[in-house]
PDB file of all heavy atoms in Angstrom:
ATOM      1  N   THR A  23      -6.846 -29.932   2.558  1.00 95.00           N
ATOM      2  CA  THR A  23      -7.420 -31.027   3.322  1.00 95.00           C
ATOM      3  C   THR A  23      -8.450 -31.781   2.493  1.00 95.00           C
ATOM      4  O   THR A  23      -8.994 -31.252   1.528  1.00 95.00           O
ATOM      5  CB  THR A  23      -8.055 -30.508   4.631  1.00 95.00           C
ATOM      6  OG1 THR A  23      -8.476 -31.620   5.408  1.00 95.00           O
ATOM      7  CG2 THR A  23      -9.219 -29.579   4.354  1.00 95.00           C
ATOM      8  N   ALA A  24      -8.705 -33.018   2.902  1.00 93.00           N
ATOM      9  CA  ALA A  24      -9.769 -33.830   2.304  1.00 93.00           C
ATOM     10  C   ALA A  24     -10.875 -34.062   3.318  1.00 93.00           C
ATOM     11  O   ALA A  24     -11.792 -34.832   3.074  1.00 93.00           O
ATOM     12  CB  ALA A  24      -9.202 -35.159   1.810  1.00 93.00           C
ATOM     13  N   SER A  25     -10.783 -33.418   4.467  1.00 85.00           N
ATOM     14  CA  SER A  25     -11.770 -33.598   5.538  1.00 85.00           C
ATOM     15  C   SER A  25     -13.083 -32.919   5.194  1.00 85.00           C
ATOM     16  O   SER A  25     -13.107 -31.884   4.540  1.00 85.00           O
ATOM     17  CB  SER A  25     -11.254 -33.018   6.853  1.00 85.00           C
ATOM     18  OG  SER A  25     -10.188 -33.787   7.321  1.00 85.00           O
ATOM     19  N   HIS A  26     -14.154 -33.488   5.681  1.00 76.00           N
ATOM     20  CA  HIS A  26     -15.478 -32.910   5.452  1.00 76.00           C
ATOM     21  C   HIS A  26     -15.608 -31.628   6.268  1.00 76.00           C
ATOM     22  O   HIS A  26     -15.336 -31.621   7.468  1.00 76.00           O
ATOM     23  CB  HIS A  26     -16.569 -33.917   5.856  1.00 76.00           C
ATOM     24  CG  HIS A  26     -17.918 -33.498   5.431  1.00 76.00           C
ATOM     25  ND1 HIS A  26     -18.688 -32.628   6.168  1.00 76.00           N
ATOM     26  CD2 HIS A  26     -18.635 -33.802   4.323  1.00 76.00           C
ATOM     27  CE1 HIS A  26     -19.826 -32.422   5.539  1.00 76.00           C
ATOM     28  NE2 HIS A  26     -19.822 -33.131   4.420  1.00 76.00           N
ATOM     29  N   PRO A  27     -16.031 -30.533   5.624  1.00 75.00           N
ATOM     30  CA  PRO A  27     -16.107 -29.245   6.330  1.00 75.00           C
ATOM     31  C   PRO A  27     -16.920 -29.269   7.620  1.00 75.00           C
ATOM     32  O   PRO A  27     -16.511 -28.685   8.617  1.00 75.00           O
ATOM     33  CB  PRO A  27     -16.753 -28.322   5.299  1.00 75.00           C
ATOM     34  CG  PRO A  27     -16.444 -28.934   3.986  1.00 75.00           C
ATOM     35  CD  PRO A  27     -16.416 -30.425   4.225  1.00 75.00           C
ATOM     36  N   ALA A  28     -18.069 -29.936   7.623  1.00 73.00           N
ATOM     37  CA  ALA A  28     -18.910 -29.940   8.818  1.00 73.00           C
ATOM     38  C   ALA A  28     -18.268 -30.713   9.957  1.00 73.00           C
ATOM     39  O   ALA A  28     -18.432 -30.354  11.131  1.00 73.00           O
ATOM     40  CB  ALA A  28     -20.284 -30.541   8.495  1.00 73.00           C
ATOM     41  N   ALA A  29     -17.513 -31.769   9.634  1.00 70.00           N
ATOM     42  CA  ALA A  29     -16.902 -32.609  10.665  1.00 70.00           C
ATOM     43  C   ALA A  29     -15.744 -31.908  11.358  1.00 70.00           C
ATOM     44  O   ALA A  29     -15.326 -32.310  12.434  1.00 70.00           O
ATOM     45  CB  ALA A  29     -16.425 -33.921  10.056  1.00 70.00           C
ATOM     46  N   THR A  30     -15.210 -30.863  10.743  1.00 80.00           N
ATOM     47  CA  THR A  30     -14.020 -30.214  11.294  1.00 80.00           C
ATOM     48  C   THR A  30     -14.211 -28.712  11.489  1.00 80.00           C
ATOM     49  O   THR A  30     -13.247 -27.976  11.454  1.00 80.00           O
ATOM     50  CB  THR A  30     -12.824 -30.472  10.359  1.00 80.00           C
ATOM     51  OG1 THR A  30     -13.163 -29.995   9.056  1.00 80.00           O
ATOM     52  CG2 THR A  30     -12.452 -31.931  10.303  1.00 80.00           C
ATOM     53  N   ALA A  31     -15.444 -28.283  11.693  1.00 88.00           N
ATOM     54  CA  ALA A  31     -15.740 -26.850  11.781  1.00 88.00           C
ATOM     55  C   ALA A  31     -14.926 -26.151  12.869  1.00 88.00           C
ATOM     56  O   ALA A  31     -14.374 -25.066  12.639  1.00 88.00           O
ATOM     57  CB  ALA A  31     -17.234 -26.639  12.008  1.00 88.00           C
ATOM     58  N   ALA A  32     -14.824 -26.737  14.043  1.00 90.00           N
ATOM     59  CA  ALA A  32     -14.077 -26.105  15.135  1.00 90.00           C
ATOM     60  C   ALA A  32     -12.588 -26.030  14.804  1.00 90.00           C
ATOM     61  O   ALA A  32     -11.939 -25.004  15.063  1.00 90.00           O
ATOM     62  CB  ALA A  32     -14.294 -26.877  16.437  1.00 90.00           C
ATOM     63  N   GLN A  33     -12.044 -27.096  14.233  1.00 92.00           N
ATOM     64  CA  GLN A  33     -10.627 -27.100  13.851  1.00 92.00           C
ATOM     65  C   GLN A  33     -10.360 -26.052  12.769  1.00 92.00           C
ATOM     66  O   GLN A  33      -9.375 -25.326  12.833  1.00 92.00           O
ATOM     67  CB  GLN A  33     -10.214 -28.500  13.368  1.00 92.00           C
ATOM     68  CG  GLN A  33      -8.805 -28.599  12.839  1.00 92.00           C
ATOM     69  CD  GLN A  33      -7.717 -28.454  13.881  1.00 92.00           C
ATOM     70  OE1 GLN A  33      -7.960 -28.100  15.041  1.00 92.00           O
ATOM     71  NE2 GLN A  33      -6.488 -28.698  13.488  1.00 92.00           N
ATOM     72  N   ARG A  34     -11.232 -25.978  11.781  1.00 92.00           N
ATOM     73  CA  ARG A  34     -11.090 -24.970  10.720  1.00 92.00           C
ATOM     74  C   ARG A  34     -11.095 -23.562  11.307  1.00 92.00           C
ATOM     75  O   ARG A  34     -10.274 -22.727  10.945  1.00 92.00           O
ATOM     76  CB  ARG A  34     -12.231 -25.087   9.711  1.00 92.00           C
ATOM     77  CG  ARG A  34     -12.119 -26.246   8.794  1.00 92.00           C
ATOM     78  CD  ARG A  34     -13.416 -26.417   7.989  1.00 92.00           C
ATOM     79  NE  ARG A  34     -13.357 -27.629   7.232  1.00 92.00           N
ATOM     80  CZ  ARG A  34     -12.845 -27.734   6.017  1.00 92.00           C
ATOM     81  NH1 ARG A  34     -12.383 -26.662   5.419  1.00 92.00           N
ATOM     82  NH2 ARG A  34     -12.801 -28.891   5.407  1.00 92.00           N
ATOM     83  N   ALA A  35     -12.027 -23.311  12.197  1.00 92.00           N
ATOM     84  CA  ALA A  35     -12.121 -21.985  12.813  1.00 92.00           C
ATOM     85  C   ALA A  35     -10.845 -21.638  13.575  1.00 92.00           C
ATOM     86  O   ALA A  35     -10.355 -20.505  13.492  1.00 92.00           O
ATOM     87  CB  ALA A  35     -13.337 -21.923  13.735  1.00 92.00           C
ATOM     88  N   ALA A  36     -10.295 -22.603  14.289  1.00 94.00           N
ATOM     89  CA  ALA A  36      -9.056 -22.365  15.037  1.00 94.00           C
ATOM     90  C   ALA A  36      -7.891 -22.077  14.098  1.00 94.00           C
ATOM     91  O   ALA A  36      -7.054 -21.211  14.378  1.00 94.00           O
ATOM     92  CB  ALA A  36      -8.742 -23.568  15.924  1.00 94.00           C
ATOM     93  N   LEU A  37      -7.832 -22.777  12.976  1.00 94.00           N
ATOM     94  CA  LEU A  37      -6.748 -22.565  12.017  1.00 94.00           C
ATOM     95  C   LEU A  37      -6.880 -21.224  11.309  1.00 94.00           C
ATOM     96  O   LEU A  37      -5.883 -20.528  11.087  1.00 94.00           O
ATOM     97  CB  LEU A  37      -6.691 -23.714  11.013  1.00 94.00           C
ATOM     98  CG  LEU A  37      -6.290 -25.055  11.623  1.00 94.00           C
ATOM     99  CD1 LEU A  37      -6.488 -26.190  10.631  1.00 94.00           C
ATOM    100  CD2 LEU A  37      -4.854 -25.018  12.137  1.00 94.00           C
ATOM    101  N   VAL A  38      -8.093 -20.844  10.974  1.00 93.00           N
ATOM    102  CA  VAL A  38      -8.321 -19.537  10.366  1.00 93.00           C
ATOM    103  C   VAL A  38      -7.958 -18.443  11.365  1.00 93.00           C
ATOM    104  O   VAL A  38      -7.313 -17.451  11.017  1.00 93.00           O
ATOM    105  CB  VAL A  38      -9.781 -19.407   9.880  1.00 93.00           C
ATOM    106  CG1 VAL A  38     -10.115 -17.969   9.497  1.00 93.00           C
ATOM    107  CG2 VAL A  38     -10.022 -20.346   8.704  1.00 93.00           C
ATOM    108  N   GLN A  39      -8.321 -18.640  12.633  1.00 93.00           N
ATOM    109  CA  GLN A  39      -7.947 -17.691  13.689  1.00 93.00           C
ATOM    110  C   GLN A  39      -6.428 -17.577  13.804  1.00 93.00           C
ATOM    111  O   GLN A  39      -5.902 -16.499  14.075  1.00 93.00           O
ATOM    112  CB  GLN A  39      -8.546 -18.138  15.032  1.00 93.00           C
ATOM    113  CG  GLN A  39      -8.244 -17.229  16.190  1.00 93.00           C
ATOM    114  CD  GLN A  39      -8.935 -15.880  16.096  1.00 93.00           C
ATOM    115  OE1 GLN A  39     -10.004 -15.760  15.501  1.00 93.00           O
ATOM    116  NE2 GLN A  39      -8.333 -14.865  16.665  1.00 93.00           N
ATOM    117  N   ALA A  40      -5.719 -18.684  13.554  1.00 93.00           N
ATOM    118  CA  ALA A  40      -4.252 -18.691  13.615  1.00 93.00           C
ATOM    119  C   ALA A  40      -3.622 -18.088  12.356  1.00 93.00           C
ATOM    120  O   ALA A  40      -2.406 -17.956  12.281  1.00 93.00           O
ATOM    121  CB  ALA A  40      -3.748 -20.116  13.825  1.00 93.00           C
ATOM    122  N   GLY A  41      -4.453 -17.742  11.367  1.00 92.00           N
ATOM    123  CA  GLY A  41      -3.941 -17.069  10.178  1.00 92.00           C
ATOM    124  C   GLY A  41      -3.862 -17.917   8.928  1.00 92.00           C
ATOM    125  O   GLY A  41      -3.402 -17.441   7.890  1.00 92.00           O
ATOM    126  N   ALA A  42      -4.289 -19.166   8.956  1.00 96.00           N
ATOM    127  CA  ALA A  42      -4.195 -20.052   7.801  1.00 96.00           C
ATOM    128  C   ALA A  42      -5.445 -19.962   6.933  1.00 96.00           C
ATOM    129  O   ALA A  42      -6.509 -19.566   7.387  1.00 96.00           O
ATOM    130  CB  ALA A  42      -3.998 -21.494   8.261  1.00 96.00           C
ATOM    131  N   THR A  43      -5.284 -20.368   5.696  1.00 96.00           N
ATOM    132  CA  THR A  43      -6.399 -20.551   4.782  1.00 96.00           C
ATOM    133  C   THR A  43      -6.555 -22.046   4.562  1.00 96.00           C
ATOM    134  O   THR A  43      -5.579 -22.723   4.211  1.00 96.00           O
ATOM    135  CB  THR A  43      -6.142 -19.846   3.435  1.00 96.00           C
ATOM    136  OG1 THR A  43      -5.961 -18.452   3.670  1.00 96.00           O
ATOM    137  CG2 THR A  43      -7.289 -20.067   2.462  1.00 96.00           C
ATOM    138  N   VAL A  44      -7.746 -22.584   4.792  1.00 95.00           N
ATOM    139  CA  VAL A  44      -8.000 -24.016   4.632  1.00 95.00           C
ATOM    140  C   VAL A  44      -8.702 -24.229   3.294  1.00 95.00           C
ATOM    141  O   VAL A  44      -9.713 -23.585   3.012  1.00 95.00           O
ATOM    142  CB  VAL A  44      -8.854 -24.576   5.789  1.00 95.00           C
ATOM    143  CG1 VAL A  44      -9.129 -26.057   5.601  1.00 95.00           C
ATOM    144  CG2 VAL A  44      -8.156 -24.319   7.128  1.00 95.00           C
ATOM    145  N   VAL A  45      -8.141 -25.141   2.476  1.00 95.00           N
ATOM    146  CA  VAL A  45      -8.666 -25.407   1.141  1.00 95.00           C
ATOM    147  C   VAL A  45      -9.083 -26.869   1.058  1.00 95.00           C
ATOM    148  O   VAL A  45      -8.276 -27.758   1.325  1.00 95.00           O
ATOM    149  CB  VAL A  45      -7.603 -25.107   0.057  1.00 95.00           C
ATOM    150  CG1 VAL A  45      -8.172 -25.359  -1.335  1.00 95.00           C
ATOM    151  CG2 VAL A  45      -7.066 -23.689   0.189  1.00 95.00           C
ATOM    152  N   ASP A  46     -10.340 -27.115   0.681  1.00 93.00           N
ATOM    153  CA  ASP A  46     -10.828 -28.481   0.504  1.00 93.00           C
ATOM    154  C   ASP A  46     -10.374 -29.004  -0.849  1.00 93.00           C
ATOM    155  O   ASP A  46     -10.573 -28.344  -1.869  1.00 93.00           O
ATOM    156  CB  ASP A  46     -12.348 -28.518   0.586  1.00 93.00           C
ATOM    157  CG  ASP A  46     -12.833 -28.162   1.970  1.00 93.00           C
ATOM    158  OD1 ASP A  46     -12.374 -28.799   2.927  1.00 93.00           O
ATOM    159  OD2 ASP A  46     -13.654 -27.227   2.090  1.00 93.00           O
ATOM    160  N   CYS A  47      -9.774 -30.189  -0.832  1.00 90.00           N
ATOM    161  CA  CYS A  47      -9.244 -30.776  -2.055  1.00 90.00           C
ATOM    162  C   CYS A  47      -9.289 -32.303  -1.954  1.00 90.00           C
ATOM    163  O   CYS A  47      -8.263 -32.976  -2.019  1.00 90.00           O
ATOM    164  CB  CYS A  47      -7.816 -30.284  -2.263  1.00 90.00           C
ATOM    165  SG  CYS A  47      -7.230 -30.418  -3.941  1.00 90.00           S
ATOM    166  N   PRO A  48     -10.488 -32.886  -1.770  1.00 81.00           N
ATOM    167  CA  PRO A  48     -10.569 -34.334  -1.585  1.00 81.00           C
ATOM    168  C   PRO A  48     -10.254 -35.091  -2.859  1.00 81.00           C
ATOM    169  O   PRO A  48     -10.482 -34.614  -3.958  1.00 81.00           O
ATOM    170  CB  PRO A  48     -12.017 -34.557  -1.158  1.00 81.00           C
ATOM    171  CG  PRO A  48     -12.758 -33.396  -1.707  1.00 81.00           C
ATOM    172  CD  PRO A  48     -11.794 -32.240  -1.726  1.00 81.00           C
ATOM    173  N   GLY A  49      -9.687 -36.259  -2.669  1.00 81.00           N
ATOM    174  CA  GLY A  49      -9.358 -37.129  -3.783  1.00 81.00           C
ATOM    175  C   GLY A  49      -9.838 -38.523  -3.513  1.00 81.00           C
ATOM    176  O   GLY A  49     -10.825 -38.732  -2.809  1.00 81.00           O
ATOM    177  N   ALA A  50      -9.105 -39.482  -4.029  1.00 67.00           N
ATOM    178  CA  ALA A  50      -9.457 -40.892  -3.874  1.00 67.00           C
ATOM    179  C   ALA A  50      -9.232 -41.338  -2.437  1.00 67.00           C
ATOM    180  O   ALA A  50      -8.430 -40.754  -1.709  1.00 67.00           O
ATOM    181  CB  ALA A  50      -8.599 -41.734  -4.813  1.00 67.00           C
TER     182      ALA A  50
END
């Protein structure tokens, strides 16, 4: 994702709970 971690904290937590690993990789 390129999303800001603080702006998506609840979504990240839900995805981690679902078993995913979220990786920050912002670009242009």
Side-chain angles (χ1 to χ4, degrees):
T23 186
S25 291
H26 190 276
T30 57
Q33 175 69 351
R34 285 170 187 272
L37 293 170
V38 169
Q39 181 69 28
T43 300
V44 179
V45 181
D46 294 306
C47 201

